[in-house]
Amino acid sequence: MSNKQELVRLVDTTTNPAAFGLYGFGMSTLLLNLHNVGLFPLDSMIMAMGIFFGGIAQVMVGSMEAKKNNMFGMVAFGSYGFFWIILIALLMIPKLGLGEAPTPIAMGWFLVVWGIFTTGLWIATFSLSIMMRVLFGSVVALFFLLAAADFTGNTTIKFLAGLDGIFSGAFALFIASAMVINDTFKKEIIPLR
């Protein structure tokens, strides 16, 4: 029996999970903000989307990004996945009689904390593409606008937040679709710089 050791190098051949996460983020964000501009009420459709595609799917993507040694992707997708799960829990817990609904001031501070977190990620995007800078910059604005709407009760600010959220969600969908199209065609059809 030989004592010789061999170095084994594993090559990661798995695909980039970011498009999946961006679809989950984008579709959930778009639907919630279509509600925020008044197109339809907050109902089970948004909550189901938030739990499963905004929440669980993004947490899964965060785990996949960790395996790919992508700290930014792991933190962003994992955290926003849990944001969606927490948000839906905040809506459901009072309805189930398990606790009081948060006050608008409490929700404002909840959103401020997420805005601060997102600001840190936005700063990190300056080492990524301009597309990611625009996306995360719009999400920073979204959190702070939503917080301002909760703090003030101002419906105009809530409407403006909804417009920004529609942009954020749609832009995330655009980036995700571009990633899938480019990967499927094995060439850059839609630039993502």
Side-chain angles (χ1 to χ4, degrees):
M1 190 165 218
S2 171
N3 285 337
K4 185 178 176 185
Q5 292 182 339
E6 286 186 45
L7 177 63
V8 177
R9 173 177 246 166
L10 298 176
V11 177
D12 181 2
T13 59
T14 59
T15 192
N16 181 356
F20 181 37
L22 285 167
Y23 276 127
F25 173 82
M27 292 170 70
S28 300
T29 301
L30 181 58
L31 287 172
L32 179 60
N33 285 286
L34 288 171
H35 153 74
N36 283 341
V37 298
L39 293 185
F40 46 78
L42 183 64
D43 59 17
S44 60
M45 176 273 295
I46 294 172
M47 289 190 270
M49 183 67 115
I51 291 169
F52 295 105
F53 207 29
I56 294 170
Q58 282 196 91
V59 170
M60 288 171 47
V61 171
S63 296
M64 293 177 208
E65 291 283 13
K67 289 183 179 183
K68 296 188 85 54
N69 198 29
N70 180 355
M71 180 185 283
F72 181 87
M74 177 196 68
V75 171
F77 289 119
S79 298
Y80 290 129
F82 279 113
F83 166 81
W84 277 101
I85 293 168
I86 294 164
L87 181 64
I88 301 308
L90 288 171
L91 296 170
M92 293 304 300
I93 287 170
K95 291 184 183 298
L96 296 172
L98 300 174
E100 296 295 319
T103 66
I105 297 300
M107 281 304 297
W109 283 110
F110 171 76
L111 294 163
V112 164
V113 168
W114 280 97
I116 293 166
F117 165 76
T118 303
T119 300
L121 291 179
W122 175 67
I123 292 167
T125 65
F126 280 82
S127 70
L128 303 174
S129 70
I130 193 164
M131 303 289 255
M132 296 308 283
R133 274 179 261 159
V134 169
L135 176 61
F136 278 82
S138 71
V139 176
V140 168
L142 175 59
F143 278 121
F144 287 120
L145 284 168
L146 287 170
D150 278 340
F151 286 140
T152 65
N154 187 308
T155 56
T156 301
I157 296 173
K158 178 88 167 209
F159 183 79
L160 292 173
L163 291 178
D164 180 67
I166 290 168
F167 171 80
S168 298
F171 198 63
L173 291 176
F174 170 77
I175 294 169
S177 295
M179 293 171 90
V180 171
I181 290 165
N182 290 348
D183 185 71
T184 303
F185 282 92
K186 305 296 184 220
K187 63 181 179 179
E188 187 178 76
I189 305 290
I190 302 170
L192 285 172
R193 295 180 182 81

